[in-house]
């Protein structure tokens, strides 16, 4: 953020304060957004009336970070502000580590994918509105979480096979 008083940086998790509220002071503008370059595959999915620039019924993003062996999530339009499914991230981080998935590149088991999806759904705090019901949004986030996990993990596994084949 920048104003005549100077520049300050705010972590994204602290920027959104509520519906149509953020951490900007009245005289501040967003000068830049700093995003660490991802070192692994990512996927984004949304439910909406069409693929163009419309407000989503709900949205879900997932990023794998193989260097730090972590997973990050992002959920949109299913809570008063964009949120992360932190309990789901913690669960998946532990499951991937305990199962040796980062090293062995095995397919993630259906039970791990389901638990991850359930935790992502539970992280939501949606409302009923003209675009969809709260129940539908929770359900859709769970479906998107499971699917994006599958797609992202398959991308990671494919990259591992290519790298190992070149070695």
């Amino acid at each position: 953020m920048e104003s005549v008083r100077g520049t300050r940086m705010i972590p994204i998790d602290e920027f959104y304060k509520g519906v149509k509220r953020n951490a900007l002071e009245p005289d501040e503008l967003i000068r830049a957004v700093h995003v660490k370059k991802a070192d692994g595959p990512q996927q984004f999915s949304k439910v909406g009336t069409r693929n163009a620039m419309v407000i989503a019924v709900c949205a879900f993003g997932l990023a794998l970070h193989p260097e730090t062996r972590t997973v990050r999530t992002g959920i949109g339009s299913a809570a008063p502000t964009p949120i992360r499914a932190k309990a789901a991230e913690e669960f998946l981080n532990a499951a991937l580590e305990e199962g040796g998935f980062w090293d062995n590149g095995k397919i993630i088991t259906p039970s791990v994918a389901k638990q991850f999806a359930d935790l992502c759904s539970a992280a939501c705090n949606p409302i009923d509105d003209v675009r969809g019901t709260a129940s539908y949004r929770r359900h859709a986030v769970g479906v998107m979480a499971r699917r994006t996990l599958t797609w992202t993990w398959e991308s990671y596994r494919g990259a591992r096979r290519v790298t190992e084949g070149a070695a």
Side-chain angles (χ1 to χ4, degrees):
M1 303 332 129
E2 190 164 29
S3 71
V4 294
R5 294 175 283 114
T7 302
R8 67 186 179 116
M9 293 183 71
I10 300 173
I12 193 66
D13 290 342
E14 297 172 21
F15 180 76
Y16 296 102
K17 298 293 186 183
V19 177
K20 299 182 182 180
R21 294 186 1 249
N22 58 52
L24 282 173
E25 296 296 331
D27 64 339
E28 287 182 311
L29 295 173
I30 298 173
R31 179 175 168 227
V33 176
H34 298 270
V35 178
K36 183 180 176 185
K37 183 180 178 190
D39 65 317
Q42 307 162 62
Q43 289 286 332
F44 173 80
S45 183
K46 83 171 199 173
V47 174
T49 54
R50 59 188 185 143
N51 288 332
M53 298 294 291
V54 297
I55 296 173
V57 174
C58 57
F60 184 83
L62 178 72
L64 299 180
H65 300 277
E67 286 181 15
T68 57
R69 294 181 177 223
T70 56
V71 176
R72 296 282 298 247
T73 60
I75 299 172
S77 298
T81 65
I83 59 169
R84 288 174 46 206
K86 292 182 181 179
E89 292 173 5
E90 291 169 6
F91 163 77
L92 188 56
N93 288 334
L96 292 175
E97 196 61 41
E98 290 168 11
F101 289 95
W102 289 110
D103 296 320
N104 63 30
K106 290 183 182 176
I107 294 172
I108 292 177
T109 63
S111 62
V112 168
K114 182 181 183 326
Q115 180 66 24
F116 175 72
D118 290 346
L119 289 166
C120 289
S121 291
C124 298
N125 183 19
I127 60 169
D128 292 322
D129 67 11
V130 295
R131 291 175 288 131
T133 65
S135 177
Y136 177 74
R137 284 184 167 102
R138 267 190 217 92
H139 171 75
V141 165
V143 171
M144 289 187 294
R146 184 181 44 77
R147 288 179 181 171
T148 59
L149 173 58
T150 301
W151 299 331
T152 310
W153 192 253
E154 282 305 306
S155 181
Y156 171 71
R157 293 179 69 230
R160 283 186 82 252
R161 286 191 294 270
V162 169
T163 303
E164 290 169 357

